[in-house]
Amino acid sequence: MKQFFSYWLWPNPAGWHYEDSRVMALLALSIGLIVLCFVIGRVRHRMKNPITRSLTAGWPTASLWFGIVALVLTVSRVETIQFLSMRLIWAFWLLSLGLYIFFQMLQFRRRHYTVIQQSQVIDEREKYLPKKRVR
């Protein structure tokens, strides 16, 4: 049990460098999230449906902050900055990203709708048709 906690809570795990493929993948992910912030913002302003636009209002900001936090965590891990390079912080980051995506999917499914235009046909013959009797 002690090994489990020391693995996740060790304040300064060493052995990472910028040429490592994991570090490069994490840097690409974090920079990708930052770039995705601007892409989502551009696409969002071109949307015609106001419901979709209001539901996606927080996506660029969330993408930017998740990217910045991932970038800071990756650089602090390589530069061996204590307590910012713990594995547990990465687990919290991943958990919070997953929960954010899950709740956004739930909210999008619950609140997204499109307004369908309906035209009512007024029939002149209806006033001459028999109606139900009211008792």
Side-chain angles (χ1 to χ4, degrees), residues 82-124:
Q82 286 189 348
F83 298 108
L84 282 180
S85 58
M86 278 195 278
R87 293 176 182 99
L88 187 63
I89 295 176
W90 274 105
F92 284 143
W93 181 85
L94 191 61
L95 179 70
S96 63
L97 178 65
L99 284 174
Y100 180 78
I101 291 171
F102 176 72
F103 284 123
Q104 286 296 315
M105 285 174 43
L106 282 180
Q107 183 178 9
F108 201 80
R109 284 187 60 196
R110 186 173 52 91
R111 294 182 57 202
H112 188 265
Y113 62 90
T114 56
V115 177
I116 299 172
Q117 297 291 335
Q118 292 183 347
S119 61
Q120 277 190 323
V121 177
I122 300 173
D123 192 9
E124 291 293 324

Side-chain angles (χ1 to χ4, degrees), residues 5-22:
F5 285 121
S6 66
Y7 177 79
W8 285 101
L9 298 174
W10 192 256
N12 196 5
W16 282 37
H17 47 84
Y18 286 110
E19 292 85 24
D20 192 7
S21 62
R22 292 179 295 182

Side-chain angles (χ1 to χ4, degrees), residues 32-44:
L33 283 172
I34 293 170
V35 170
L36 185 66
C37 159
F38 299 109
V39 171
I40 291 173
R42 295 282 259 177
V43 168
R44 193 178 156 272

